[in-house]
Structure formats: structure tokens, C-alpha cells
């Protein structure tokens, strides 16, 4: 199972642009250039606190972000090498899923424009937290063995979701969180290039 933003789609700069666009509307801290690396070292909850976002605002801000993403999804690029890795995994017989807090509409637009057809299903979770519940439902519905399931993501919350239901986490360092932040959450594996995923899953 793959996260989408920061794992498959290179949307970090778009996220920063949207947050800079709406910060006055929701009265939170502007993300300056000096703040970017600070935020990449934080968990999602720490970022929310650092920016001064009220928990009550989170659903509204998340909805706004997804809406702005829809308008600019055609501009977003897939990370170099991810497409060939997905094709190799599919040819090897792996079942591939996306689970993201982005909208299913946005994800499908991106997949279609980038000719990505390897995924068996796309799942959207509107909350930025709580991915573990959906992962568990997917596992149960498909009668997967938990030991055979990996959640691949670029954020600390992806690692936390995997640990909560005792599946393996693979952290990727080319997305939203930096390497140190990911390592602090003790993922089962951490990779710096998409091609490393093939060797890891062949073990």
C-alpha cells in the first residue's frame, strides 16, 4: 500500500503554495522559506501546533487544500523512477493499492495523466490522521496476511499508522518529511531511491 502525496506524486511545492495562499483566511502562521526545513523535521501534529492551527480548523483546511489540488493536479509530476518500479512490482505479482488523505478524484486525475495503471484500488481518507483503520479494513476485506502487507509513505504518520496495526512500514526520504524525522519513528525500512523498493521486497 502506497501513500500518494510525497511518495508517488511530487506535490510538496504545491502544498506550500496552497498553505501560503490561505494562511490569512484561516489565521495561521505563514510558511516562510526558513520554515520549510523546520516543518519537514516535524510530525503532522507538531506542524499544526507550530503554525497555530486550531484542531477545529483542520477539516476545513484539508478540504480547501484538496480543492486547490484539483485545480492544479495536471501540473504535478511523478517522482523519477516510481513508474518503472510500479510496473516491475505488478509484473512480479504484487497487489498494489493507494491510501491517501488526498481525494480519490485528484489521485485518479494524476494516475490517468501519468499513464499509471498498476494499482488495484485507490482509497481516500479525508482525515489527515487515522489511516490505520482503513488499512485494517483493506487487509480484512481482501483476506491478506498482515505479515505480507507493507505501507509505503513519506511522513511520520504513515509509519505510526503501520505500527498501530502491526504491518511493516517503508519510509521514503524523497517526500514531505526528512530522513531524520522518519528515522525517529523507527520505520521497519527506509529507502532513498524508488529502485531500492524492488530489492527490499525481493528479500
Amino acid at each position: 500500500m502506497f501513500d500518494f502525496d510525497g511518495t508517488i506524486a511530487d506535490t510538496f511545492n504545491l502544498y506550500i503554495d496552497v498553505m501560503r495562499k490561505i494562511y490569512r483566511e484561516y489565521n495561521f502562521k505563514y510558511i516562510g522559506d526558513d520554515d520549510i526545513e523546520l516543518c519537514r523535521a516535524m510530525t503532522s501534529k507538531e506542524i499544526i501546533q507550530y503554525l497555530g492551527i486550531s484542531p477545529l480548523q483542520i477539516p476545513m483546511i484539508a478540504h480547501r487544500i484538496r480543492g486547490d489540488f484539483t485545480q492544479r493536479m495536471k501540473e504535478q509530476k511523478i517522482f523519477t523512477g516510481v513508474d518503472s518500479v510500479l510496473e516491475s512490482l505488478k509484473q512480479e505479482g504484487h497487489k498494489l493499492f493507494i491510501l491517501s488523505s488526498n481525494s480519490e478524484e485528484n489521485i485518479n486525475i494524476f494516475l490517468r495523466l501519468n499513464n499509471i495503471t498498476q494499482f488495484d484500488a485507490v482509497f481516500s481518507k479525508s482525515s489527515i490522521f487515522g489511516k490505520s483503520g482503513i488499512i485494517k479494513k483493506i487487509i480484512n476485506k481482501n483476506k491478506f496476511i498482515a505479515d505480507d502487507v507493507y505501507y509505503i509513505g513519506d511522513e511520520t504518520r504513515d509509519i505510526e499508522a503501520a505500527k498501530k496495526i502491526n504491518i511493516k512500514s517503508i519510509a521514503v526520504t524523497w517526500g514531505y518529511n526528512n530522513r531524520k524525522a522518519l528515522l525517529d519513528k523507527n520505520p521497519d525500512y527506509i529507502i532513498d531511491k524508488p529502485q531500492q523498493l524492488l530489492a527490499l521486497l525481493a528479500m
Side-chain angles (χ1 to χ4, degrees), residues 82-110:
V82 169
D83 51 353
S84 61
V85 167
L86 292 173
E87 181 59 28
S88 295
L89 291 174
K90 196 65 179 175
Q91 289 180 3
E92 291 171 6
H94 294 281
K95 291 277 189 180
L96 304 179
F97 300 88
I98 289 176
L99 171 57
S100 172
S101 55
N102 206 331
S103 72
E104 188 173 337
E105 176 189 6
N106 288 348
I107 296 168
N108 285 328
I109 289 171
F110 178 90

Side-chain angles (χ1 to χ4, degrees), residues 84-163:
S84 61
V85 167
L86 292 173
E87 181 59 28
S88 295
L89 291 174
K90 196 65 179 175
Q91 289 180 3
E92 291 171 6
H94 294 281
K95 291 277 189 180
L96 304 179
F97 300 88
I98 289 176
L99 171 57
S100 172
S101 55
N102 206 331
S103 72
E104 188 173 337
E105 176 189 6
N106 288 348
I107 296 168
N108 285 328
I109 289 171
F110 178 90
L111 296 179
R112 184 172 66 252
L113 291 173
N114 287 277
N115 298 311
I116 302 298
T117 61
Q118 294 88 0
F119 288 101
D120 294 275
V122 172
F123 298 91
S124 173
K125 170 68 174 174
S126 58
S127 171
I128 66 169
F129 305 111
K131 288 182 176 181
S132 58
I134 292 188
I135 296 174
K136 192 169 184 177
K137 287 180 181 178
I138 296 170
I139 291 172
N140 292 338
K141 182 178 180 180
N142 290 277
K143 298 181 180 179
F144 292 145
I145 298 171
D147 284 347
D148 295 335
V149 178
Y150 297 78
Y151 190 54
I152 303 156
D154 65 302
E155 294 185 70
T156 58
R157 60 187 172 131
D158 300 322
I159 300 169
E160 291 168 348
K163 286 182 177 295

Side-chain angles (χ1 to χ4, degrees), residues 53-61:
I53 296 173
S54 163
L56 296 176
Q57 291 179 306
I58 293 173
M60 293 181 289
I61 293 173

Side-chain angles (χ1 to χ4, degrees), residues 172-186:
V172 307
T173 61
W174 55 81
Y176 283 40
N177 273 133
N178 64 25
R179 199 174 209 279
K180 182 182 183 304
L182 296 169
L183 284 172
D184 285 346
K185 291 296 180 179
N186 297 311

